[in-house]
Amino acid sequence: DAGITQSPRHKVTETGTPVTLRCHQTENHRYMYWYRQDPGHGLRLIHYSYGVKDTDKGEVSDGYSVSRSKTEDFLLTLESATSSQTSVYFCAIRDRGSYEQYFGPGTRLTVT
Amino acid sequence: SQQGEEDPQALSIQEGENATMNCSYKTSINNLQWYRQNSGRGLVHLILIRSNEREKHSGRLRVTLDTSKKSSSLLITASRAADTASYFCATDGETSYDKVIFGPGTSLSVIP
């Protein structure tokens, strides 16, 4: 257990509504990541963070924004949810020494 | 894009046989890692190989890396039913090692 939690674990929302997913870590890791997982695509990187207030885009960042105001929390916001954003979202932290990533349990988001 | 493909997409073998999965990538890398995902769960780190290494072993796992071909393979020897899972490779770029990109994965079924 790498001390990563995600909330909520499940969410159903309507098209056009904003949604915020939270990733919380207790390990004080500098690097945090948001991925989405869809059948046939594996995990695709949305955004990542390399420190407080330091974030960068991944492969599929359109329609998503992130914030990291403190080390332990990394928030992913869907500004106006669309059905194409229905997915399972995983947060991960990365150990700076070993480069290993540790994943949270995932959030299943359905946009109707 | 940093990441390429994994093949095969799906693999079904008998218990006791060896399983080989391949991963290709597009840009120069710093590290390549393999992860495993059991159905509906988060990913778990298996093994890391650095760009200056050619082969690495961990228990029943053997990973090779050919940087000239931009490819890696994961061999699981003497497979067990419990090895049934999806396997993903992940790379971090030589100049952007914070950015970790995953391939689409190989789904392995080990039949008892």
Side-chain angles (χ1 to χ4, degrees), chain A residues 31 33 35 37 40-43 45 48 50 57-59 90 94 98-101 103-104, chain B residues 1 30-31 33 35 37 41-43 45 48 50 88 92 97-104:
Chain A
Y31 298 96
Y33 299 78
Y35 293 90
Q37 185 173 31
H41 290 281
L43 273 78
L45 179 63
Y48 64 102
Y50 46 95
K57 295 180 179 180
E59 303 169 280
F90 286 100
R94 192 185 198 196
S98 70
Y99 298 103
E100 292 179 30
Q101 285 184 303
F103 285 79
Chain B
S1 172
N30 192 37
N31 301 293
Q33 303 185 60
Y35 287 80
Q37 183 182 35
R41 309 288 293 272
L43 278 71
H45 182 264
L48 175 149
R50 299 183 190 277
F88 298 88
D92 52 30
Y97 77 97
D98 298 346
K99 194 172 182 178
V100 181
I101 304 294
F102 282 78

Side-chain angles (χ1 to χ4, degrees), chain B residues 36-55:
Chain B
R36 163 189 168 140
Q37 183 182 35
N38 289 89
S39 181
R41 309 288 293 272
L43 278 71
V44 174
H45 182 264
L46 294 176
I47 194 166
L48 175 149
I49 188 165
R50 299 183 190 277
S51 60
N52 61 355
E53 297 176 312
R54 292 297 167 258
E55 188 171 315

Side-chain angles (χ1 to χ4, degrees), chain A residues 56-109:
Chain A
D56 205 348
K57 295 180 179 180
E59 303 169 280
V60 290
S61 57
D62 287 348
Y64 301 94
S65 63
V66 290
S67 67
R68 192 160 177 209
S69 59
K70 42 186 179 176
T71 300
E72 57 265 35
D73 289 325
F74 191 31
L75 304 181
L76 176 70
T77 297
L78 289 65
E79 291 137 14
S80 177
T82 67
S83 58
S84 64
Q85 293 175 314
T86 292
S87 187
V88 179
Y89 291 85
F90 286 100
C91 173
I93 58 174
R94 192 185 198 196
D95 185 283
R96 194 177 184 185
S98 70
Y99 298 103
E100 292 179 30
Q101 285 184 303
Y102 299 93
F103 285 79
T107 293
R108 184 172 296 276
L109 176 69

Side-chain angles (χ1 to χ4, degrees), chain B residues 75-92:
Chain B
L75 168 67
I76 304 174
T77 60
S79 63
R80 304 166 182 168
D83 294 328
T84 294
S86 292
Y87 293 82
F88 298 88
C89 70
T91 57
D92 52 30

